[in-house]
Amino acid sequence: MSKLYMLTETSKFMMSFVIVTENDQAIVVDGGRPADMPLLKQYVGGRHIAAWILTHAHNDHITGFISEMQKNGGADWDIGTVYYNFPPYSLIDNHDVPDYKYMAAELNECLPAFFEVEPLFHDKAHVTAQGETVQIDDCRIDFLFSYHEGLTVNLMNDSSLVFKVTTPQKSVLFLGDLGPQAGDILYRESRHLLQADIVQMAHHGHMNVGMEVYAAVGAEACLWCAPEWLYNEEEIPDYLKDPAYLAPDSSRLRMYGTRMTRNWMDILGAKTHYVTMNGTQEIDL
Ligand SMILES: [Fe+2]
């Protein structure tokens, strides 16, 4: 039997998971920021990391990984393969998008630092794509979504890898930080593949995929990478009322606070809620 650990925040909020397989290998998802590395190291416990999956290039997900590479090329970790699929930095030349300023900021947040250290782990890097499957001991990983061109108004979140980890007992769907627009595409392309026992709530529970995605998943348990303020956020917080933010693209009107997502999950009958604000969570898979 595998075990899933959802690590609590050391930095202000972030996403970090460790799966320990039945043969005692580790699968790491993201890892958070540099401040989150000691806790991650503790849960990896020196195991071989058969897969380190980086969902998308935002600071609360991959700056910890980048900092470990900058420090000593990742020498403190026994890494097998690093899976990722990030948008190309060359999008910076495309000014003909609804909100260029936002897109440019997204591209500059982590990508330059990531590609600077990439040569240090190049032989372990694998740019994965939707449709790929990886088997690690009792865990099968099916990649169900990867970066689609043209999703620029929520560029980095909408480039999140979506994947399902299936063991003989349980399945967990990881949605990364996927937003409404990419969620629509995921639903259209792959709704028949989404069913899972457990779901990682997209984008920490807010400004995320639509209710129909969660309906297709039909999970009984939810994983919330959220501190208290975020878990208890109202349906439409002030920053999602700002016309300047909403105006460039109507898909931003489908971004809601966490309360809305919690309402959906209640309607859909999810029974168990694991939340990082309550500490590191341990789940049998
Ligand atoms: Fe995030």
Side-chain angles (χ1 to χ4, degrees):
M1 182 183 284
S2 288
K3 282 228 187 251
L4 170 67
Y5 300 93
M6 179 171 71
L7 273 55
T8 197
E9 297 96 355
T10 304
S11 66
K12 59 180 179 173
F13 65 87
M14 59 97 203
M15 181 163 131
S16 181
F17 291 90
V18 177
I19 297 170
V20 177
T21 70
E22 67 176 1
N23 294 341
D24 211 33
Q25 297 194 86
I27 298 165
V28 174
V29 180
D30 288 345
R33 299 189 178 85
D36 301 297
M37 290 299 98
L39 188 65
L40 179 64
K41 205 163 285 182
Q42 189 184 319
Y43 278 87
V44 168
R47 294 177 182 88
H48 176 64
I49 301 172
W52 193 325
I53 301 169
L54 303 173
T55 60
H56 67 294
H58 265 164
N59 74 82
D60 55 318
H61 296 256
I62 70 161
T63 49
F65 175 87
I66 292 171
S67 71
E68 292 298 312
M69 291 298 156
Q70 289 168 337
K71 190 172 73 182
N72 55 14
D76 298 347
W77 311 80
D78 176 15
I79 301 173
T81 304
V82 180
Y83 295 87
Y84 71 94
N85 188 337
F86 299 156
Y89 188 78
S90 59
L91 286 174
I92 201 88
D93 298 327
N94 183 6
H95 290 257
D96 188 22
V97 294
D99 189 347
Y100 178 79
K101 201 173 148 199
Y102 180 86
M103 186 187 79
E106 293 274 276
L107 290 165
N108 283 320
E109 184 174 314
C110 289
L111 282 184
F114 178 83
F115 286 117
E116 199 174 306
V117 296
E118 195 274 343
L120 301 174
F121 62 92
H122 185 73
D123 55 327
K124 298 168 181 169
H126 178 70
V127 178
T128 189
Q130 184 171 326
E132 283 187 34
T133 293
V134 179
Q135 185 80 39
I136 299 168
D137 299 334
D138 57 336
C139 295
R140 193 182 78 229
I141 305 171
D142 293 298
F143 289 96
L144 304 180
F145 185 91
S146 57
Y147 169 65
H148 285 52
E149 274 180 42
L151 300 177
T152 59
V153 292
N154 187 14
L155 175 72
M156 218 51 86
N157 290 332
D158 277 351
S159 75
S160 292
L161 288 173
V162 171
F163 55 96
K164 185 153 77 169
V165 178
T166 307
T167 74
Q169 291 83 29
K170 283 262 162 70
S171 54
V172 190
L173 183 73
F174 288 88
L175 291 167
D177 276 2
L178 217 63
Q181 218 177 2
D184 290 346
I185 294 172
L186 173 71
Y187 186 82
R188 282 174 179 271
E189 292 179 345
S190 303
R191 60 195 176 281
H192 59 293
L193 302 173
L194 298 179
Q195 194 283 322
D197 300 305
I198 304 168
V199 63
Q200 174 250 316
M201 305 305 293
H203 197 230
H204 314 263
H206 71 166
M207 303 164 74
N208 62 341
V209 303
M211 184 182 181
E212 69 279 4
V213 172
Y214 294 111
V217 179
E220 61 184 10
C222 304
L223 306 172
W224 304 82
C225 296
E228 193 179 357
W229 69 267
L230 184 48
Y231 192 61
N232 292 319
E233 185 182 57
E234 60 188 316
E235 287 169 333
I236 305 183
D238 283 346
Y239 63 91
L240 292 178
K241 295 171 187 159
D242 178 6
Y245 178 72
L246 299 175
D249 187 273
S250 62
S251 72
R252 289 186 181 168
L253 289 168
R254 289 187 285 114
M255 290 181 173
Y256 297 105
T258 307
R259 181 72 255 172
M260 184 73 87
T261 316
R262 289 176 63 186
N263 291 347
W264 297 343
M265 300 319 289
D266 288 344
I267 291 166
L268 293 172
K271 291 181 183 62
T272 309
H273 298 280
Y274 300 97
V275 191
T276 56
M277 71 176 186
N278 298 323
T280 294
Q281 307 289 310
E282 178 182 333
I283 299 154
D284 289 336
L285 286 189

